[in-house]
Amino acid sequence: MTTSKRDLLALTDLSTAEMRALLRRAAELKHMQKAGNCPTPLVGRSLAMVFEKASTRTRVSFDVGMRQLGGHPLMLRGDELQLGRGESAADTAQVLGRYVDGIMVRTFGHDKIEALAEHSPVPVINALTDRLHPCQILADLQTCAEAFGDDALPGLRVAWIGDGNNVAHSWINAAWVLGFELRLACPEGYEPNPAVLEPAVRAGARVSVVRAPAAAAEGAHVVTTDVWASMGQEQEQKVREQAFAGYQVDAALMAHARDDAIFLHCLPAHRGEEVTAEVIDGPRSRIFDEAENRLHAQKAVLEWLLGGRPLIG
Ligand code: CP
Ligand code: NVA
């Protein structure tokens, strides 16, 4: 195991300056891609993409992003790997690390990705666990920077409506690293995990949990939400529909936000549940820019972790 290896398991793995630099590079890469001059620093490099859950955006954006950078992605379904038959994360990480230059993982327990990262000689990138979804929030922040300007990020007020889930947790980490204000409106019993929330609050992050969605949305630049039942929680759908009644993002809730507020959703979405069609398909919605930015933000991550491009200096 090398000591200098970096991973991206959580946004708190980045310093404030690193996150700002990563977002600026993501914007540059987007511009270069659209101008037809994407750099190819990853020629001869490979990324193992381990998926133990379904994916559309993450799978395609990492695959295409690696190819655009000149590298080679390998799609590895968890149930086709020996990992799915009980081979340890430690052995899997050490073996994959003999073949590839980076490992991207989407799995259930966060402890599994931590074990992979601990034993992997190459960088490990979190592509969603039950606890966190850092790559999603990098793309969301890139979308915020496009709407309000890069310099506006630390002064943003972001409203999270609904489940205190993996995506909400990465918003908490981002608020901690960048310093913006985050208000989460969650029903009782569905608040963020204290293991994520409390260290941020103790460190002075401007993060608060409220009960009323309108209180979170008041004066917000960004209103965002996610499904009521995440992957692995499908059997709780009915109970959750009852718990989250009153937590739908609709036009009346958006009216509490700033006039220039944008709506974000990581997707996939359930219109008529966590958000109305009027809002998600309306003029304030930036959901497809947000989905596109997964590609550009992750290319900045890949260039840094697999290409050795320093984020700063
Ligand atoms: N937002 C997101 O991660 O989408 P996928 O599950 O389709 O990858
Ligand atoms: N919270 C959702 C996000 C999907 C991208 C889930 O974990 O299923």
Side-chain angles (χ1 to χ4, degrees):
M1 197 161 41
T2 59
T3 50
S4 59
K5 176 187 72 115
R6 295 283 300 267
D7 301 300
L8 183 60
L9 303 192
L11 291 178
T12 47
D13 292 341
L14 296 167
S15 69
T16 306
E18 286 176 334
M19 193 185 289
R20 298 292 300 268
L22 193 61
L23 293 169
R24 281 194 299 274
R25 183 61 180 164
E28 283 173 10
L29 286 166
K30 182 172 186 174
H31 184 76
M32 285 190 271
Q33 184 63 32
K34 290 186 186 295
N37 61 353
C38 178
T40 53
L42 300 189
V43 171
R45 311 225 167 185
S46 301
L47 176 73
M49 309 196 310
V50 178
F51 281 93
E52 296 194 315
K53 289 179 175 176
S55 171
T56 297
R57 280 142 290 269
T58 307
R59 173 178 177 171
V60 177
S61 57
F62 266 107
D63 187 310
V64 170
M66 271 302 285
R67 292 173 199 269
Q68 289 178 354
L69 293 168
H72 182 80
L74 289 96
M75 172 67 189
L76 304 170
R77 280 177 42 151
D79 62 357
E80 294 172 349
L81 292 172
Q82 297 291 8
L83 186 65
R85 293 183 58 249
E87 186 169 14
S88 72
D91 285 358
T92 302
Q94 289 177 86
V95 170
L96 288 178
R98 298 292 178 105
Y99 305 135
V100 300
D101 303 284
I103 305 172
M104 184 236 76
V105 184
R106 170 169 285 197
T107 189
F108 291 87
H110 196 71
D111 53 343
K112 186 183 265 187
I113 202 167
E114 287 179 334
L116 284 161
E118 182 186 347
H119 294 281
S120 168
V122 298
V124 174
I125 300 169
N126 182 354
L128 183 147
T129 62
D130 289 346
R131 164 116 15 146
L132 296 171
H133 196 3
C135 294
Q136 179 65 53
I137 304 309
L138 290 175
D140 293 13
L141 293 168
Q142 184 177 354
T143 313
C144 292
E146 289 169 354
F148 299 105
D150 189 52
D151 291 340
L153 290 177
L156 289 183
R157 179 178 287 181
V158 177
W160 173 270
I161 312 297
D163 193 13
N165 66 12
N166 44 6
V167 180
H169 290 158
S170 283
W171 270 111
I172 291 170
N173 285 345
W176 180 2
V177 174
L178 286 188
F180 61 82
E181 184 181 356
L182 173 67
R183 294 181 190 167
L184 305 104
C186 309
E188 190 176 357
Y190 296 92
E191 297 91 349
N193 185 333
V196 176
L197 180 64
E198 285 174 4
V201 170
R202 271 201 304 275
R206 296 193 295 149
V207 177
S208 56
V209 180
V210 297
R211 202 60 81 201
E218 201 62 49
H221 297 80
V222 181
V223 178
T224 185
T225 187
D226 190 9
V227 291
W228 291 341
S230 286
M231 289 182 276
Q233 298 172 335
E234 290 80 2
Q235 72 291 351
E236 298 173 30
Q237 177 69 27
K238 288 285 162 229
V239 178
R240 284 173 168 265
E241 278 175 23
Q242 288 172 2
F244 288 96
Y247 285 80
Q248 184 183 67
V249 178
D250 58 12
L253 186 63
M254 289 299 294
H256 287 274
R258 286 167 54 110
D259 290 344
D260 60 353
I262 62 170
F263 172 78
L264 297 179
H265 190 308
C266 63
L267 306 178
H270 293 157
R271 288 166 176 76
E273 292 184 21
E274 74 273 9
V275 60
T276 60
E278 183 185 10
V279 169
I280 196 169
D281 299 320
R284 294 173 165 201
S285 178
R286 295 286 182 278
I287 57 168
F288 298 119
D289 292 331
E290 181 186 6
E292 178 187 334
N293 287 337
R294 293 292 303 277
L295 172 67
H296 309 298
Q298 289 160 192
K299 281 169 70 178
V301 171
L302 292 166
E303 211 188 26
W304 163 50
L305 288 178
L306 273 68
R309 184 183 194 277
L311 289 176
I312 299 168

